[in-house]
Amino acid sequence: MKEILNSISKTSLKVIDTSLAISDYTAVSISTKNTDLSTFDVSSSEEWSVYLEKFLKEKKAKVAFGGYFEKRDIYKRSAYFNSSEDNERNIHLGIDLWCDAGTKVLAVLDGEIHSFKNNLNHGDYGPTIIIKHQIKGIEFYSLYGHLSLDSSENIEVGQRVTQEEIIGYLGDNIVNGDYAPHLHFQLIIDMQGKQGDYPGVCSKEDVDFYQQNCPNPNLLLKLPNEI
């Protein structure tokens, strides 16, 4: 599967505003290894926004990206990710693209709307759209989380979308699960019957399954210097 996904395009595929060049992107870590995160309250979306704005300015960039299979402490702020101490979900399954609220969100490839939902748990996706793709004889799904409320107002399940079509916009911290604005982009092979939602974070006990079912989105995005 990884080889097929990687072969779909030799160039970077877009999931946010096409006016943003590859040179506008910079890699960022929000893992437990990033000592910068000890300098502010990581439970505060406002302080995250300040940190990311400063980070992007220093890097002379407009989008900070990364996070596939990154272990993060940020989820400790929400009971939704910590049903028990023995099964803490803190391993990130997609790539995050941190940029301004209102940024255009694009379908990565041709497909159809599989489902959509506003996921309201604290720290959850907020408004989310999932697209079903059939490419080179394989079926898979792409998930777009942390969107604006109006992103799902005029779409229907089964509706066809084309590559780089605008499917929504990034939401702010009021609607996106209380995060600094960003897109959570994830690939999924088997939706396991879920609609408008799929785990974006797993526990260490489930890593083997999710590494197979949620391949690295950078196989399509091909962003340089991923952390």
Side-chain angles (χ1 to χ4, degrees):
M1 176 61 79
K2 293 179 181 179
E3 291 75 12
I4 294 174
L5 290 169
N6 190 48
S7 70
I8 287 174
S9 176
K10 293 182 179 179
T11 59
S12 175
L13 299 183
K14 296 283 191 174
V15 289
I16 57 174
D17 195 337
T18 56
S19 69
L20 294 164
I22 291 297
S23 58
D24 291 322
Y25 289 70
T26 187
V28 67
S29 169
I30 63 168
S31 76
T32 54
K33 298 177 182 179
N34 184 350
T35 56
D36 286 348
L37 305 190
S38 64
T39 64
F40 67 95
D41 180 4
V42 296
S43 68
S44 167
S45 57
E46 290 85 0
E47 292 195 31
W48 267 109
S49 292
V50 171
Y51 168 74
L52 289 164
E53 182 178 358
K54 180 181 177 183
F55 178 86
L56 288 170
K57 186 176 182 180
E58 290 174 350
K59 298 293 185 179
K60 298 180 180 179
K62 296 179 180 177
V63 182
F65 75 92
Y68 179 68
F69 260 79
E70 184 174 73
K71 184 178 179 181
R72 297 174 168 179
D73 279 343
I74 186 174
Y75 306 113
K76 291 182 182 295
R77 67 184 183 144
S78 173
Y80 178 61
F81 298 99
N82 298 280
S83 57
S84 72
E85 292 184 4
D86 297 329
N87 197 36
E88 180 182 0
R89 294 195 295 136
N90 58 6
I91 300 170
H92 191 249
L93 302 177
I95 282 182
D96 286 333
L97 297 99
W98 305 84
C99 51
D100 294 337
T103 298
K104 298 172 184 175
V105 176
L106 317 176
V108 69
L109 291 162
D110 293 352
E112 66 179 50
I113 302 297
H114 169 268
S115 53
F116 53 93
K117 180 183 176 184
N118 190 1
N119 296 286
L120 295 172
N121 294 294
H122 181 229
D124 209 336
Y125 293 129
T128 307
I129 295 175
I130 298 173
I131 299 176
K132 176 181 175 181
H133 307 279
Q134 289 185 319
I135 308 286
K136 294 192 173 185
I138 65 167
E139 182 175 284
F140 64 97
Y141 303 82
S142 56
L143 181 151
Y144 309 76
H146 309 300
L147 306 181
S148 63
L149 286 174
D150 58 359
S151 295
S152 58
E153 284 183 354
N154 297 305
I155 61 174
E156 298 178 355
V157 171
Q159 176 182 325
R160 296 294 301 174
V161 294
T162 57
Q163 184 176 350
E164 294 189 357
E165 179 179 342
I166 298 171
I167 59 168
Y169 301 86
L170 290 188
D172 60 21
N173 66 312
I174 296 173
V175 302
N176 75 355
D178 191 29
Y179 292 99
H182 71 288
L183 175 68
H184 174 95
F185 177 67
Q186 183 171 331
L187 299 180
I188 304 159
I189 307 304
D190 179 3
M191 283 294 299
Q192 300 181 280
K194 298 185 184 300
Q195 300 286 321
D197 188 18
Y198 192 83
V201 184
C202 76
S203 66
K204 63 182 180 181
E205 288 80 7
D206 296 326
V207 160
D208 290 345
F209 170 77
Y210 283 108
Q211 274 191 318
Q212 295 300 316
N213 202 45
C214 299
N216 192 341
N218 216 34
L219 294 167
L220 299 182
L221 301 186
K222 293 179 167 59
L223 295 170
N225 302 316
E226 183 186 8
I227 293 175

